[in-house]
Amino acid sequence: MKKVFIETYGCQMNVYDTELIRGILAQHGDVAFVDDEASADVVLLNTCAIRENAHVKVYNRLEQLKPRKRKGKLKAIGILGCMAQSLRKSLPDDEPMVDIFAGPDAYKRLPSMLELAVGEDAQATDFSLSEYETYSDVAPSRIPGVNAWIAIMRGCDNFCTFCVVPYTRGRERSRTLQSVVDEAREAVQSGYKQITLLGQNVNSYRTEGHDFADLMAALGELRGLERVRFTSPHPKDFPLRLLEVMGRYENLCKHIHLPLQSGSDSVLERMNRTYTREEYLSLVAQIRATLPGVSLTTDAICGFCGESEADFDETYQVMQQVGFDAAFIFKYSERNQTVASRKYADDVPEGIKTERVMRLNALQRRVSLARNRLEIGTEHRVLVERASKKNEHDWFARADHFKGVVFSSHDAQPGDIVRVRIDEAYSNTLRGTELPG
Ligand code: SAH
Ligand code: SF4
Ligand code: F3S
């Protein structure tokens, strides 16, 4: 029996992939999953490559694992996922400590790779990307909770020039509508209250005559499914019909994560985002007109190649104008293989990138606080996720629009839907009082 510990880095897609990996390994027997590295024979790191600091985290982790590996207490270390895939050319010689390298489409071969690495003490690598693998025949072994992740597609064909994902996850491919609905139904039957659909660009989901709006409508109809979320759509193709479907069903949450990346047309063009600032703004207006009360969140990158102070100002202005409920703001990090790394100079000095990130974050904190304050006095049905870390009678829940709400209760449980009134607002949470019924 091999005792396996899996650690997950990166995005929700990786969290879901870890559940698939657990499902695949469990099916092949002779594996037990443990919760800590100290008691494991095998440590698998499911890694991310999106920014350089994602790589740094993994290298640091490998350093920590080295002593146990050298003493023979750890039989194998595996690097899985996006970083494995993106490093494939510079490995394996660089990392003799690592026994397994497996890219995101190679997980079905993990049982035999593990056998080779542990049984025969040989290195096992698989960097093949597939145009077809969707793992829709694999049952994920989910971590208990209120939310079940479901990847509806894999890969990405957008080739934003800054982004490594098309190289680490390969071509875009969608699962069948039926396989997603079946997986959602099984999750509901196992007690999950919320489904979050995952894809690098969910609104380019296509399968046998169905699109993403059809899939959402099918899930809107699914009995017992309290909440459906999705991440992320790309602003370039956001059909009105999808907004109408979202409006029609109560269980389709009124929250859209709509990555802006930049508010400057020339930067957007160099990024190959294929929309302009005006197109983005008119999409926001259409979303708000169709779905009143919707919350909007976004991603932005500071210091992309050639970003001038005037370009940055435009991002600042768009963020101010839209008034996002929350935003993730990143420093541009050049990635190998990408068009930007080949074509453009990473010419914004580190100090300026940092300063721009800080300015946008400061703006966003003010905007989030102002938007959250508008919630004071309103009532929400919130889904309880977990006990709050600070106070034993406090619970952390989320409203339909994704905002976190903390409230006190003696008898709440994860998975409950509770009615609360919002009393206090901070920049990243709300505080409420439980209402009867
Ligand atoms: N597919 C998703 C994005 C996944 S990556 C989408 O298009 O919405 C999540 C975020 O990481 C991106 O939205 C972008 O803001 C950021 N990101 C991607 N590559 C980056 C890079 N090279 N440097 C800094 N941030 C990056
Ligand atoms: Fe990367 Fe762009 Fe694809 Fe998102 S849509 S994963 S940012 S290439
Ligand atoms: Fe996700 Fe990181 Fe890969 S963000 S898709 S795990 S590069």
Side-chain angles (χ1 to χ4, degrees), residues 156 158-160 162-163 165-166 200 234 273:
C156 184
N158 284 332
F159 291 95
C160 302
F162 54 79
C163 183
V165 172
Q200 298 303 344
H234 192 295
R273 289 292 288 181

Tab-separated table of all heavy atoms in Angstrom, residues 156 158-160 162-163 165-166 200 234 273, ligand 2:
chain	number	residue	atom	x	y	z
A	156	CYS	N	-7.217	25.569	-23.957
A	156	CYS	CA	-7.624	26.921	-24.374
A	156	CYS	C	-7.028	27.220	-25.742
A	156	CYS	O	-5.855	26.947	-25.984
A	156	CYS	CB	-7.139	27.964	-23.367
A	156	CYS	SG	-7.727	29.615	-23.802
A	158	ASN	N	-7.360	30.416	-27.061
A	158	ASN	CA	-7.389	31.875	-27.226
A	158	ASN	C	-6.019	32.499	-27.442
A	158	ASN	O	-5.917	33.542	-28.062
A	158	ASN	CB	-8.053	32.539	-26.030
A	158	ASN	CG	-9.550	32.381	-26.090
A	158	ASN	OD1	-10.113	32.258	-27.175
A	158	ASN	ND2	-10.198	32.342	-24.957
A	159	PHE	N	-5.002	31.881	-26.916
A	159	PHE	CA	-3.646	32.408	-27.095
A	159	PHE	C	-3.534	33.892	-26.772
A	159	PHE	O	-3.017	34.670	-27.585
A	159	PHE	CB	-3.127	32.107	-28.508
A	159	PHE	CG	-2.868	30.640	-28.728
A	159	PHE	CD1	-3.839	29.832	-29.302
A	159	PHE	CD2	-1.668	30.066	-28.334
A	159	PHE	CE1	-3.610	28.473	-29.483
A	159	PHE	CE2	-1.436	28.713	-28.518
A	159	PHE	CZ	-2.402	27.907	-29.092
A	160	CYS	N	-4.014	34.293	-25.610
A	160	CYS	CA	-3.681	35.632	-25.129
A	160	CYS	C	-2.158	35.638	-25.046
A	160	CYS	O	-1.559	34.664	-24.579
A	160	CYS	CB	-4.296	35.875	-23.757
A	160	CYS	SG	-6.085	35.673	-23.765
A	162	PHE	N	0.123	36.875	-23.282
A	162	PHE	CA	0.847	36.777	-22.011
A	162	PHE	C	0.745	35.404	-21.376
A	162	PHE	O	1.441	35.132	-20.389
A	162	PHE	CB	0.299	37.828	-21.012
A	162	PHE	CG	-1.208	37.758	-20.818
A	162	PHE	CD1	-1.769	36.798	-19.992
A	162	PHE	CD2	-2.051	38.637	-21.489
A	162	PHE	CE1	-3.142	36.729	-19.827
A	162	PHE	CE2	-3.428	38.570	-21.328
A	162	PHE	CZ	-3.971	37.601	-20.491
A	163	CYS	N	-0.121	34.537	-21.897
A	163	CYS	CA	-0.598	33.411	-21.095
A	163	CYS	C	-0.024	32.061	-21.524
A	163	CYS	O	0.009	31.717	-22.710
A	163	CYS	CB	-2.113	33.367	-21.165
A	163	CYS	SG	-2.823	32.067	-20.156
A	165	VAL	N	-1.239	29.089	-20.535
A	165	VAL	CA	-2.210	27.987	-20.451
A	165	VAL	C	-2.396	27.205	-21.765
A	165	VAL	O	-2.439	25.975	-21.749
A	165	VAL	CB	-3.566	28.488	-19.879
A	165	VAL	CG1	-4.642	27.418	-19.963
A	165	VAL	CG2	-3.380	28.948	-18.442
A	166	PRO	N	-2.487	27.870	-22.936
A	166	PRO	CA	-2.640	27.085	-24.162
A	166	PRO	C	-1.481	26.095	-24.377
A	166	PRO	O	-1.653	25.075	-25.049
A	166	PRO	CB	-2.666	28.146	-25.266
A	166	PRO	CG	-3.170	29.379	-24.572
A	166	PRO	CD	-2.576	29.320	-23.198
A	200	GLN	N	-11.406	27.301	-19.191
A	200	GLN	CA	-10.607	28.511	-19.407
A	200	GLN	C	-11.418	29.564	-20.128
A	200	GLN	O	-11.100	30.743	-20.089
A	200	GLN	CB	-9.326	28.198	-20.179
A	200	GLN	CG	-8.400	27.249	-19.463
A	200	GLN	CD	-7.993	27.742	-18.085
A	200	GLN	OE1	-8.148	28.900	-17.765
A	200	GLN	NE2	-7.482	26.849	-17.262
A	234	HIS	N	-15.025	34.577	-21.320
A	234	HIS	CA	-14.161	35.554	-21.986
A	234	HIS	C	-15.070	36.666	-22.516
A	234	HIS	O	-16.095	36.376	-23.126
A	234	HIS	CB	-13.419	34.869	-23.134
A	234	HIS	CG	-12.304	35.690	-23.716
A	234	HIS	ND1	-12.531	36.879	-24.371
A	234	HIS	CD2	-10.971	35.498	-23.729
A	234	HIS	CE1	-11.366	37.377	-24.768
A	234	HIS	NE2	-10.401	36.557	-24.387
A	273	ARG	N	-6.468	40.133	-26.792
A	273	ARG	CA	-7.724	39.847	-26.083
A	273	ARG	C	-8.927	39.963	-27.027
A	273	ARG	O	-10.030	39.546	-26.679
A	273	ARG	CB	-7.886	40.785	-24.887
A	273	ARG	CG	-6.921	40.489	-23.763
A	273	ARG	CD	-7.202	39.166	-23.082
A	273	ARG	NE	-8.418	39.206	-22.269
A	273	ARG	CZ	-8.850	38.160	-21.564
A	273	ARG	NH1	-8.218	37.002	-21.583
A	273	ARG	NH2	-9.944	38.267	-20.837
B	2	SF4	FE1	-4.974	32.264	-20.890
B	2	SF4	FE2	-6.392	33.843	-22.446
B	2	SF4	FE3	-6.864	31.227	-22.424
B	2	SF4	FE4	-7.510	32.697	-20.304
B	2	SF4	S1	-8.414	32.884	-22.362
B	2	SF4	S2	-6.453	30.729	-20.294
B	2	SF4	S3	-5.906	34.210	-20.275
B	2	SF4	S4	-5.013	32.205	-23.170
